Amino acid sequence: LMTQATTENAAADLADQPVAVSGSTLPELTREQHAMALVKSYVPWSAGAGLLPMPLIDMAALVAVQLRMLTKLSALYQVPFLENGVKSTVSSLLGSVVSTSVGGALGSLVKAIPVVGPLIGIAAVPSVYSAATYAIGRVFVTHLAAGGTFLDFDADKMRAYFIAEYEKAKAESTPQKAA
């Protein structure tokens, strides 16, 4: 049996080669498809961070989940991961969501209101955190797939794309009303 770490290290060594699943009839995956599957695997963990009842602790958990996801993407694309630089980039992108909508920070702080706060927070924050994680993953996959690194990532240039991906992910996680 291969461990998850062994599997992820092997995937990181594949570079642009298609990823085949042995003993399966599934189609081969490109590195970008593998990267997006990785991103999608971290979305539920972000939602779980949003369920934490303590204000701001949930945001710390969200950042930890996102940094872990970006570490795995850096291994897949074989680029160096610089945690401090990435933290500021992620904070910058998340700040753009907070400024354009009722974002995660406000939802997190709502949890501090006695009795109703945790209920409101639990209803709203997981979808915001999930959408933000998906959008961050999508933006970095696009950048890394184009040959970029964490060093040359320009958050200002990617902000509009991040917001568009966030809004798309948020809309997909919201139940649609009957017309």
Side-chain angles (χ1 to χ4, degrees):
L1 289 174
M2 292 181 72
T3 66
Q4 182 179 357
T6 304
T7 303
E8 289 167 352
N9 289 339
D13 292 336
L14 290 175
D16 289 321
Q17 300 299 318
V19 178
V21 179
S22 61
S24 172
T25 58
L26 295 174
E28 293 182 351
L29 298 177
T30 64
R31 182 164 60 172
E32 188 171 355
Q33 290 169 326
H34 185 73
M36 285 311 301
L38 180 77
V39 167
K40 289 176 184 176
S41 75
Y42 280 87
V43 168
W45 289 102
S46 295
L51 292 173
L52 293 173
M54 297 164 285
L56 303 181
I57 299 296
D58 59 346
M59 290 190 77
L62 171 68
V63 171
V65 167
Q66 292 173 342
L67 288 176
R68 179 74 176 153
M69 174 184 70
L70 294 174
T71 301
K72 295 298 182 183
L73 287 175
S74 75
L76 180 65
Y77 283 96
Q78 299 176 333
V79 297
F81 180 78
L82 304 168
E83 185 173 333
N84 290 333
V86 173
K87 278 184 189 178
S88 64
T89 299
V90 168
S91 297
S92 172
L93 291 174
L94 289 176
S96 63
V97 170
V98 171
S99 68
T100 59
S101 67
V102 179
L106 182 58
S108 178
L109 292 176
V110 164
K111 293 178 183 179
I113 300 170
V115 183
V116 296
L119 297 176
I120 294 169
I122 286 173
V125 175
S127 65
V128 171
Y129 283 11
S130 295
T133 297
Y134 177 83
I136 284 174
R138 185 72 196 124
V139 165
F140 275 98
V141 166
T142 300
H143 179 69
L144 296 171
T149 68
F150 290 103
L151 290 173
D152 63 9
F153 184 85
D154 187 343
D156 292 332
K157 288 183 180 177
M158 296 297 275
R159 191 171 320 282
Y161 180 53
F162 169 75
I163 292 170
E165 289 295 325
Y166 169 80
E167 293 297 335
K168 185 169 71 172
K170 194 172 161 200
E172 289 175 7
S173 71
T174 304
Q176 301 299 317
K177 296 177 183 171

